[in-house]
Amino acid sequence: MRVLLVEDNELIAHGIKAGLRAHQFTVDSVASAAMAEAALATLNCDVLILDLGLPDEDGMKLLPRLRAKGIVLPILVLTARDSVKDKVMALQLGADDYLLKPFDLDELVARLHALQRRVAGRCIDLITDGPLKLNPATGHVSLHEQAIALSRREMALLAALMQAKDRILSAEQLKDRLYDFSEEIESNALNVHIYHLRRKLGGEIIETIRGMGYRYGGIKP
């Protein structure tokens, strides 16, 4: 899952990024409403985490503007404002969830996975295709009931392809799922991750569509 974090407190932002990355998330971070809008115009994110007390504009003003622009990704408000009035207003303006600071990291992770399940139309985290099972929340992958050790990026790549089902994803779309915009990406990095997934799960797991990108190939008997 790729998350855009909008948080102006550098210490809090650093802690959230470190915690979420330890739970297999790809995280980009910006510190203002203007930077958030610019990032959303270029990034392919799955979830937005929004602080309300931003230096250039209150998050309550940003929320309805994002929805008016047609931005439909789930938005989780993360704030110290603990009144019922603020919570109700945020939800009415377009937020999907509301979490108070200080918060427990495990609860934040669980809420993010719940938002992703809702968008994907699943009631549980588990993504399956016959004998292949992937749980993004726990980081567990198994094939024919045998655990398969995958790196964080291998797991993100597999999840992106499995969730896309028969759709072709370009190399750039896949890189968006694996790396945040602050990271240096080597030219052959994606090919290396694809090679390792094919070696661990079978050569047919990822189909290369020449000139277009990649598609989930499934598990062959």
Side-chain angles (χ1 to χ4, degrees):
M1 189 191 309
R2 185 168 189 172
V3 174
L4 176 62
L5 171 65
V6 187
E7 170 61 67
D8 65 311
N9 185 303
E10 186 175 348
L11 184 61
I12 293 175
H14 177 76
I16 293 173
K17 285 190 291 184
L20 292 183
R21 285 170 177 166
H23 282 79
Q24 319 303 323
F25 291 81
T26 299
V27 186
D28 297 297
S29 177
V30 296
S32 70
M35 294 171 68
E37 289 188 275
L40 288 170
T42 58
L43 295 179
N44 180 25
C45 298
D46 298 300
V47 181
L48 172 67
I49 300 176
L50 176 65
D51 179 32
L52 295 180
L54 300 173
D56 58 339
E57 183 179 42
D58 192 279
M60 291 290 196
K61 294 183 178 179
L62 177 62
L63 265 172
R65 192 164 67 249
L66 294 179
R67 295 312 192 198
K69 288 182 176 180
I71 294 174
V72 298
L73 83 167
I75 299 176
L76 184 151
V77 168
L78 188 61
T79 180
R81 299 182 192 176
D82 61 357
S83 74
V84 173
K85 180 181 177 180
D86 282 322
K87 182 175 182 179
V88 170
M89 182 181 296
L91 294 172
Q92 290 176 336
L93 291 175
D96 297 278
D97 201 355
Y98 196 98
L99 182 61
L100 290 176
K101 299 175 181 175
F103 60 93
D104 184 273
L105 178 65
D106 288 337
E107 182 178 3
L108 175 60
V109 168
R111 286 173 181 254
L112 292 175
H113 281 298
L115 289 173
Q116 187 182 45
R117 289 199 307 269
R118 188 186 307 166
V119 171
R122 301 194 313 271
C123 60
I124 59 174
D125 286 308
L126 196 64
I127 304 171
T128 64
D129 177 31
L132 178 62
K133 299 177 182 179
L134 183 154
N135 190 322
T138 63
H140 184 264
V141 179
S142 66
L143 179 62
H144 298 294
E145 305 301 328
Q146 297 295 314
I148 305 295
L150 299 183
S151 70
R152 175 172 68 88
R153 292 201 169 103
E154 289 166 6
M155 185 172 300
L157 175 59
L158 179 61
L161 290 166
M162 290 183 73
Q163 289 172 328
K165 296 183 180 178
D166 295 328
R167 290 187 292 116
I168 298 170
L169 298 180
S170 69
E172 289 306 312
Q173 286 176 310
L174 290 174
K175 288 177 184 177
D176 277 347
R177 295 299 186 98
L178 305 185
Y179 300 94
D180 64 52
F181 55 54
S182 65
E183 294 179 286
E184 294 282 342
I185 307 175
E186 296 184 9
S187 59
N188 68 334
L190 179 61
N191 289 334
V192 170
H193 297 313
I194 290 173
Y195 167 79
H196 286 304
L197 273 182
R198 286 171 170 164
R199 181 173 57 84
K200 295 176 180 180
L201 298 173
E204 303 88 355
I205 193 73
I206 300 174
E207 297 179 354
T208 300
I209 312 301
R210 191 173 300 278
M212 299 179 67
Y214 303 90
R215 181 171 60 199
Y216 177 67
I219 298 296
K220 306 303 179 186

